[in-house]
Amino acid sequence: MEVKINKNLSQRALEDYEFVKKAVAGDQKAYAELMERYRTSIYHMMLKMVNNREDADDLTLEAFGKAFNKLSTYAPKYAFSTWLFKIASNNCIDFIRKKRIKVTSMDSAYTNSDGESVSIDVESSERDPEEVAIHMEKVKTMREVVKTLKPRYRDLIEKRYFQELSYEEIAQD
């Protein structure tokens, strides 16, 4: 399949495309050259966006990682630098969005805009694990006690309390 190259690309963009083709073919030096050409520019763009050197450095490396993983999809319709900067800026925007999402735990209080400590209490219709364990222990004990009863009493208790039959249903049996 023949790749259509934009005739308006600069000399540098054409050189970048040659490095891209070599990198796709497995030439590690071509990857290094592409990174060398754009690392500083990408880093400074990231730094302006996040205003944190460590995050900017991490985002720069992530951008190159994402671009290099998709390098075979690059088409020279636009300059490689345009494609790379778009990947980097989108990655950074995603990072900023994730960082802005604040999670509030229901287990801890937070301070509202008036300086008051506010906690969130949510009632559940479910039993807590301790209540479940106590209930299961009571049921076990009750079954042991019922086993000691005479058969006709044991049968009535099992039908009413363990099978949860109504008195009418028990009477029909």
Side-chain angles (χ1 to χ4, degrees):
M1 184 170 102
E2 186 177 319
V3 177
K4 191 172 186 179
I5 299 174
N6 185 340
K7 294 178 184 178
N8 296 325
L9 292 178
S10 68
Q11 184 59 37
R12 183 171 176 102
L14 293 171
E15 290 171 6
D16 287 346
Y17 182 55
E18 290 303 315
F19 285 120
V20 168
K21 289 192 296 189
K22 288 177 183 177
V24 169
D27 184 348
Q28 295 301 310
K29 289 181 182 179
Y31 281 110
E33 181 60 33
L34 289 169
M35 193 163 181
E36 181 64 32
R37 284 178 171 224
Y38 296 103
R39 189 178 195 292
T40 303
S41 300
I42 295 288
Y43 171 79
H44 286 293
M45 182 178 77
M46 298 295 99
L47 187 57
K48 284 181 182 180
M49 291 177 78
V50 296
N51 201 26
N52 179 301
R53 291 180 186 274
E54 290 175 3
D55 288 342
D57 199 37
D58 290 344
L59 288 165
T60 300
L61 293 175
E62 279 182 29
F64 278 101
K66 287 182 177 189
F68 288 166
N69 283 334
K70 300 287 185 181
L71 201 56
S72 61
T73 66
Y74 168 71
K77 182 177 180 183
Y78 301 103
F80 172 76
S81 59
T82 304
W83 183 75
L84 177 63
F85 276 81
K86 188 67 174 173
I87 289 171
S89 64
N90 286 344
N91 187 51
C92 189
I93 290 167
D94 288 345
F95 172 80
I96 292 167
R97 282 184 185 141
K98 287 177 189 172
K99 200 170 185 178
R100 284 188 182 162
I101 296 172
K102 293 183 179 180
V103 177
T104 302
S105 172
M106 291 177 19
D107 295 332
S108 61
Y110 69 94
T111 305
N112 67 13
S113 59
D114 297 331
E116 299 169 331
S117 180
V118 179
S119 63
I120 301 170
D121 294 320
V122 179
E123 288 190 35
S124 172
S125 60
E126 301 292 319
R127 292 181 179 167
D128 67 34
E130 182 181 12
E131 289 174 329
V132 170
I134 291 170
H135 176 74
M136 295 304 290
E137 194 61 37
K138 284 181 180 178
V139 168
K140 182 179 172 187
T141 303
M142 285 300 299
R143 287 189 184 274
E144 289 173 6
V145 170
V146 170
K147 282 181 187 177
T148 65
L149 297 173
K150 291 182 180 178
R152 68 181 183 166
Y153 296 119
R154 181 175 56 232
D155 186 45
L156 289 173
I157 298 292
E158 285 178 354
K159 286 180 179 178
R160 178 67 180 132
Y161 295 101
F162 297 135
Q163 296 174 19
E164 297 182 359
L165 298 177
S166 68
Y167 291 118
E168 292 79 21
E169 292 171 318
I170 295 169
Q172 289 175 356
D173 272 352

